[in-house]
Amino acid sequence: MAVVKLSRDGGAPFFRDDETVPGLLARAAVERPDHVYLRHDGHDLTCAGLAQAVGQLSAGLHAAGIRQGDRVAVMLGHHLDHVLVFFAIQQVGAVLVPVNTALKGPSLEYQIAHCAPAMVIADAEFSQVLEGPVHAARSSGALAASVWRMTDGELLPAPGTDLKNLRAEAVVALPVVAHDPRDLRIILYTSGTTGAPKGVQMSDRMVQATALGSIWLSDMRPGSVLHFWDPIYHVFGAEVLVLALMVPVTLHMVPRFSASRFWTEVREAGASHIHFVGGVLQLLLKQPPSDLDRSHGARIAWGGGCPRDVWAAFETRFGVEIREGYGMTETSSFSTINPGGSHAGKLGSIGTAVDYFRVEVVDEQGQPCAPGQPGEIRVAEVEPGVLTTGYYANPEATAGALRDGWLYTGDIAEMDTAGFITYHGRKKDSLRRRGENISAWEVERVVNDHPEIAESALIGVRNEIGDEDLKLFVRRIDGSTLDGATLLSWCSERMPRFQVPRLIRFVENFRKTPTQRIQKQFLSAAMDDFDHDAEAVKASSNKD
């Protein structure tokens, strides 16, 4: 019997009631032991080798006191040990709590305190930023052990255990653990662009669904090779790891996303598929033309967050077919997919509902919108277990998002008569200026078309008369001397007057989520730290 339905034909159910993520690993090791699951740093890891290493580590976790249902916080970089830890925690029946490696200070303290882990597993390089949170968790009685991944020359932080020793000391096999698709597998904190993070509870079936949606969207076939840069602490990284157990493909793992090295890595890997999120495609389009633009060998780019104009430009320049989808961690990653791309699908659309979901666009009263009318996207499950049951230890946030079996996403879109959905932006990312509703996404899309701009972010700031003014943050391309006045003049020719920003501030970098989305909650809403004030310039000009 097939592990999953690789084709969308045939109808529900799409998942087996007796299948789990640990079961997928065991099955792959038996059915294709010599298949190369992952390549990393010049080394090949087979399915049998993966299962053996995960088995050793899971036994070590059990020997260290980790039991079914315990939460284990993991702050590891993009390397092989992270892959092993990902599967070992699930095999022992514990709950994985991924931690963004960029976190520090209050954000990190909040996440560790909130999930109250029984164990923290981290690269030793993060020991300093973890010192306070780990001490607090240990003092509260929740944390029983700290495990550090060491590299050559590093000293073991105290108190703590070396990850290598945890595997080596596992002399007793892991006792039999009963797994169920309804088991809580992951608590994944949404990094978000506004507000405090919320811990999305992901069941085993949800983890499987993240992979199945990607398989359908990307036209994943046996023998495919995936360029694997996606952080494992994000749902996109997790889904790729599980996808490679469902379909006999090979992951070519690189340490991180690099726009300048991207196509070189793709060609060296012999990759057939590349994965994108957020602004990745835009960053690649900003790179200088190269002979690799058409000789990289990849055929499909799948993911989410590709605007219509970027879609066409990317396919034309790089000869790669875009497969666009949409979703959230709460909806097992993809809830809509456009697997036909711009050929059999609809250019610029996030597609139609994945078969195990219902997706609607509704008005403020929760009634379905007429075709072409914008509204909020909401999602309900057709097959049980593919939608989150809520946010960990956060009933208020759960009640706000889940109502009458529907998850209200906070995203604005419109649906056509064929069910294809066009995404417009976040509901909370809509600004109101002088009586006009303004989509930050629409303004940013125009600004980012400027040849000297790498990326931008628009926020609303309260002005001296209590109204909202538009403040634009801009990162210029290297070597650009673009000034605020020139940029505003350029904007005025391309957008309505009410959309043109008042304040311009140039920045060197943006703080981002793992999917390269700008975290706007960290942008300054001050009215006195700008590089250009259009209203002041206008007033001065009129005075003269």
Side-chain angles (χ1 to χ4, degrees), residues 11-54:
F14 297 100
F15 304 94
R16 289 173 38 171
D17 287 339
D18 63 344
E19 191 63 275
T20 63
V21 173
L24 288 171
L25 175 56
R27 183 193 296 267
V30 170
E31 295 182 351
R32 48 181 191 275
D34 297 327
H35 174 77
V36 177
Y37 170 85
L38 181 144
R39 291 193 173 101
H40 177 256
D41 199 23
H43 300 285
D44 289 354
L45 179 67
T46 64
C47 290
L50 174 65
Q52 180 182 18
V54 168

Side-chain angles (χ1 to χ4, degrees), residues 4 8 50 73 93 103 229 232 287 378 408 454:
V4 294
R8 299 174 72 184
L50 174 65
L103 290 185
W229 65 268
I232 299 170
Q287 295 301 300
R378 69 178 184 182
Y408 286 77

